[in-house]
Amino acid sequence: MCRIFAAALADGQVGPVLKVGLKRLEYGGYDSSGMATIDQGKLKIKKGVGKLDEVDRSVKFDELSGNIGIAHNRWATHGYPSVTNAHPQVDCTGKIAVVHNGVIENFLEIKEELAERGHEFMSRTDTEVIAHLIEDYIKKGMDFLNSTINAIKELKGSYALAILYSAEPDKVMLVKNESPLMLGIGDDGNYAASDPVAFVDHTNRVIQLEDGELAIITPKSYKVYRISDQGLVNHNIETVDINVNDVNKGGYRHYMLKEIMEQPVAISYALNLQIQYLDVVSELVRRSRITYLIGAGSSYHSCMAGSYMLSQISGLPTIPAVASEFIQQFGKTLNPDSTVILASQSGETADVLKVASYARLKASTIISITNVVSSTITRLSRAYIIQQAGPEIGVAATKTYTTQLLVYYQLAVKLAKKSGSITEMEINSYMKGLRELPRLADKVLKDVREPISKLATELKDAGHIFFLGRGINTATAYEGRLKMLEISYIPSSAFSAGESKHGPIALIENNSPVIFLAPDDASRKVMLGNIMEIRARGGKAIVFGNEVDSELKQASDEFIGMPQINEMLTPIIYILPLQLLAYNTAILKGYDPDKPRNLAKSVTVL
Ligand code: F6R
């Protein structure tokens, strides 16, 4: 977890630059934040617990002097959030400062050895050992570069590191292994960060570091080395296309609301998936003996919906699976004839990357669907499709969920075309649905505003909320439930409506709120029966259904009308009011929807 940022400026104070970048990276962790700079050969450090703005109010990051610095947002993995455990972590001499994203697996052994040699540790972090290890090599007479290389060779685990040493004050040392890290090459200085959004207003020229590489940036130069043999590496500089306005709130109170409201545009971007990529991916899937659709959290829900799309549109059976369970559940069935489609908006989720590494060992085909082209998952995949949703900063997945669904839909239509399993007329009708989608999404977001804010007022004090769907909208029920519980903290459950009578219905009592997703599809009739069952037991049926369905409306306690669209696209339209409902409920309860407690945007630990 965590995010890191480093800058070496040709001119001026680095504190304000680091603060802006760190703010953009806050989605990666906000347990604590900190910075270190070097000024006149001395290391200066400021850090504190809490969100960046809170820490900044007390420590005043802008006042950090010096033109070189490193910065960190923490999501705790080792050691409780505290000032001592906040990064940067330093060595015994106070000359070396380290910020780190990742986990050092063997830190306890290293710590013990170093302690025996007289090193004193202040924190409970795994990161602190890195500063002391480098110190140990420097004591043996090595320079900063060689000490870092030797120290790194002792580490096991994942790390993106930025390191300062006050005796070599014009350098930032950067190291990458299994955590994202890239350089930004600017005219006013050089940068490095977990995500280019940190430095995008200084430069869009980027070098992607590879695992096992170390880079040194100074205000005027950069060099990249292979750690194994210290050979210099010549990377191409790529241009990233990120608009600064994309990473600001665009006039909305929260990123989450901005990202919900952006969906009509994100959907139209995602409709422009590159045809060649869809072609390659569909061909690989077509040749495969078995295809698994794998993801975590919201991305798993998109896989659930994706499996309905693939079977109903293209007749292809696939198996959706939760990433953290996949290896135990299906690992032994992987072989060169199988394909795993890994859905991960960040492309950095550890559970998903682990499946990728495992599938690699089994020589299976790895395909990914992600929103971040420079992510680790694209490098592990034989082919990938980029969702094109633009950066998502709010912790809860919104536009990246709907655009993942769109990728699956387009893949299903492509496969159907290739296999000739459906008629030209059917294909045209599926394509027509796609073209209507941005306009319908826009209409829904406008039409449901009022009813959803009323509903949020009714639900904000609920002790428990049920979400029930059928068919492809079972996934919508799961996703609606996840949105509600993760940002409003109201305990919620989701089931396929057919399952409710097999147990969950026991929880229904007078006025228990039950949200039904009941579009005009093959299961509408049985849904009507399920609504009756719940109401007969005193439950309150809040139904999302076709706006012209008067029978359904009559059968509901509350009814929210939705436009008609082909069944396979309903999850994209029906999740929109549920995202808004979760957002409004969180606001009414006084919670910050952009930073739900205990969560981080991308979960890079197992
Ligand atoms: C929920 C949410 C998480 C992510 C999950 C996977 O709103 O955002 O459940 O969906 O952590 O993340 P990615 O898609 O980046 O692999």
Side-chain angles (χ1 to χ4, degrees), residues 191-301:
Y191 306 83
S194 312
D195 181 329
V197 295
F199 53 68
V200 75
D201 35 10
H202 300 277
T203 182
N204 63 354
R205 298 167 66 227
V206 164
I207 290 178
Q208 298 286 346
L209 295 181
E210 296 288 339
D211 285 348
E213 288 181 350
L214 176 150
I216 299 176
I217 57 168
T218 73
K220 297 225 162 102
S221 68
Y222 67 89
K223 272 187 186 152
V224 181
Y225 298 89
R226 250 184 327 270
I227 292 175
S228 54
D229 61 0
Q230 297 190 35
L232 275 176
V233 184
N234 248 329
H235 279 295
N236 287 335
I237 298 184
E238 298 163 27
T239 308
V240 291
D241 188 16
I242 299 175
N243 185 326
V244 178
N245 293 329
D246 285 349
V247 290
N248 291 333
K249 285 188 200 150
Y252 289 99
R253 192 166 154 205
H254 295 99
Y255 285 114
M256 183 179 177
L257 185 58
K258 171 180 174 267
E259 286 154 6
I260 291 173
M261 301 310 284
E262 261 171 11
Q263 285 176 107
V265 175
I267 286 171
S268 38
Y269 285 166
L271 290 179
N272 295 322
L273 294 181
Q274 293 186 359
I275 305 293
Q276 312 88 293
Y277 285 69
L278 268 178
D279 239 357
V280 172
V281 167
S282 55
E283 203 44 49
L284 290 170
V285 172
R286 207 157 77 91
R287 288 194 205 146
S288 177
R289 183 185 53 83
I290 186 163
T291 300
Y292 296 100
L293 316 179
I294 300 156
S298 297
S299 293
Y300 166 63
H301 300 151

Side-chain angles (χ1 to χ4, degrees), residues 296-299 343-347 349 352 395-397 404 482-483 486 603:
S298 297
S299 293
S344 172
Q345 80 79 23
S346 63
T349 297
V352 178
V395 164
Q404 251 171 26
L482 179 61
K483 290 289 92 87
E486 72 180 335
V603 185

Side-chain angles (χ1 to χ4, degrees), residues 34-86:
M35 292 180 194
T37 60
I38 299 179
D39 188 26
Q40 299 180 4
K42 286 231 156 57
L43 204 58
K44 312 230 159 173
I45 294 186
K46 287 181 187 264
K47 55 185 182 173
V49 175
K51 294 177 189 161
L52 182 74
D53 291 342
E54 291 158 22
V55 179
D56 185 44
R57 267 195 293 280
S58 68
V59 305
K60 308 219 174 346
F61 285 124
D62 283 348
E63 291 172 7
L64 266 176
S65 50
N67 64 325
I68 292 231
I70 57 178
H72 186 265
N73 283 330
R74 179 162 189 254
W75 189 81
T77 54
H78 291 80
Y80 196 74
S82 69
V83 178
T84 323
N85 288 335

Side-chain angles (χ1 to χ4, degrees), residues 38-167:
I38 299 179
D39 188 26
Q40 299 180 4
K42 286 231 156 57
L43 204 58
K44 312 230 159 173
I45 294 186
K46 287 181 187 264
K47 55 185 182 173
V49 175
K51 294 177 189 161
L52 182 74
D53 291 342
E54 291 158 22
V55 179
D56 185 44
R57 267 195 293 280
S58 68
V59 305
K60 308 219 174 346
F61 285 124
D62 283 348
E63 291 172 7
L64 266 176
S65 50
N67 64 325
I68 292 231
I70 57 178
H72 186 265
N73 283 330
R74 179 162 189 254
W75 189 81
T77 54
H78 291 80
Y80 196 74
S82 69
V83 178
T84 323
N85 288 335
H87 297 204
Q89 290 292 318
V90 294
D91 69 320
C92 300
T93 65
K95 289 184 177 172
I96 299 163
V98 180
V99 293
H100 169 210
N101 166 29
V103 176
I104 307 299
E105 286 163 17
N106 58 340
F107 85 102
L108 281 175
E109 291 121 81
I110 299 176
K111 196 169 179 175
E112 261 171 39
E113 282 171 27
L114 288 168
E116 274 169 26
R117 295 209 286 276
H119 287 265
E120 278 188 36
F121 289 85
M122 310 305 288
S123 78
R124 300 176 71 91
T125 65
D126 50 343
T127 307
E128 192 182 352
V129 300
I130 304 169
H132 290 272
L133 257 183
I134 297 173
E135 176 197 356
D136 220 52
Y137 284 104
I138 284 178
K139 270 199 215 142
K140 290 178 187 154
M142 290 184 198
D143 64 5
F144 187 18
L145 173 63
N146 283 297
S147 303
T148 308
I149 287 179
N150 278 290
I152 296 307
K153 286 184 175 164
E154 294 194 32
L155 303 180
K156 284 193 194 135
S158 55
Y159 41 86
L161 302 168
I163 311 164
L164 293 180
Y165 175 40
S166 59

